[in-house]
Amino acid sequence: MKEFIIISTLFFFISCNSKQKEVSHCNFSALQNNVFVKASKYQGGRFVLSFSKDSLNFNNKNDFIEFKTGSYVQIVLDSTNIHVVSHGNIYIEKTNSQLFKIDTVPELEFKKYISQYKENNSFYNLITVDTKEYSIWVNGQLVKKGDIYGGW
């Protein structure tokens, strides 16, 4: 019986430590398109951006981009499309899209999308994420300032 309790306790602690916990998050909106974004930091160098059309109904498993920290990512989005470019080494781990069309594009194609939006006077938002310092800008305005140690 004593061995069972010890083994059960060890198994419990191992299973709790193996889950990557969310360290912190920040919610903001891309007002021009009524898109809501949740940026989450996780232990183990994971950074996730989740997208929703409803600020009260965030589901991190529907529309998201997950990447490793250490990259500088720019995202241009309208009401249905999300285009991602990662400068330098590409650290994008995975994406999932249900309500939005999410694609990763090279830098030249990314600039083409921005030019098209400007020419057509379309509403778009430019989100810039520096995952080294965990800072986030929307349309050039700082919405979340991090620090070199990854703190919010």
Side-chain angles (χ1 to χ4, degrees):
M1 182 66 171
K2 188 176 184 180
E3 291 93 13
F4 176 74
I5 293 173
I6 292 172
I7 292 172
S8 298
T9 305
L10 282 172
F11 181 73
F12 175 74
F13 284 119
I14 290 171
S15 66
C16 288
N17 287 335
S18 67
K19 295 179 183 175
Q20 290 190 347
K21 296 178 184 167
E22 183 177 7
V23 176
S24 63
H25 71 270
C26 133
N27 294 340
F28 57 93
S29 63
L31 291 175
Q32 293 181 354
N33 301 96
N34 294 324
V35 176
F36 299 91
V37 184
K38 178 180 179 183
S40 303
K41 295 188 314 183
Y42 292 88
Q43 292 175 342
R46 286 180 45 226
F47 197 91
V48 178
L49 288 176
S50 304
F51 303 90
S52 175
K53 292 192 182 256
D54 182 1
S55 65
L56 301 176
N57 191 20
F58 256 113
N59 185 345
N60 292 352
K61 294 181 171 114
N62 284 348
D63 296 281
F64 69 87
I65 303 166
E66 177 181 325
F67 39 92
K68 288 284 190 185
T69 57
S71 59
Y72 179 76
V73 177
Q74 285 187 302
I75 299 165
V76 64
L77 63 96
D78 58 30
S79 57
T80 58
N81 299 299
I82 299 171
H83 308 290
V84 184
V85 64
S86 179
H87 298 277
N89 294 331
I90 297 177
Y91 293 100
I92 295 173
E93 295 285 309
K94 60 183 167 180
T95 62
N96 188 47
S97 59
Q98 292 181 1
L99 296 174
F100 299 92
K101 180 184 174 228
I102 300 174
D103 62 345
T104 305
V105 296
E107 192 169 351
L108 287 175
E109 191 173 336
F110 185 78
K111 290 179 180 179
K112 181 183 80 172
Y113 282 121
I114 292 176
S115 296
Q116 287 175 348
Y117 285 124
K118 288 180 180 178
E119 286 174 14
N120 297 332
N121 292 325
S122 302
F123 290 118
Y124 73 96
N125 289 280
L126 178 64
I127 299 173
T128 305
V129 180
D130 179 357
T131 65
K132 290 181 182 177
E133 295 185 5
Y134 298 107
S135 296
I136 301 171
W137 294 265
V138 177
N139 298 329
Q141 294 188 337
L142 184 67
V143 295
K144 195 64 171 172
K145 178 155 178 53
D147 59 37
I148 193 70
Y149 304 107
W152 271 348

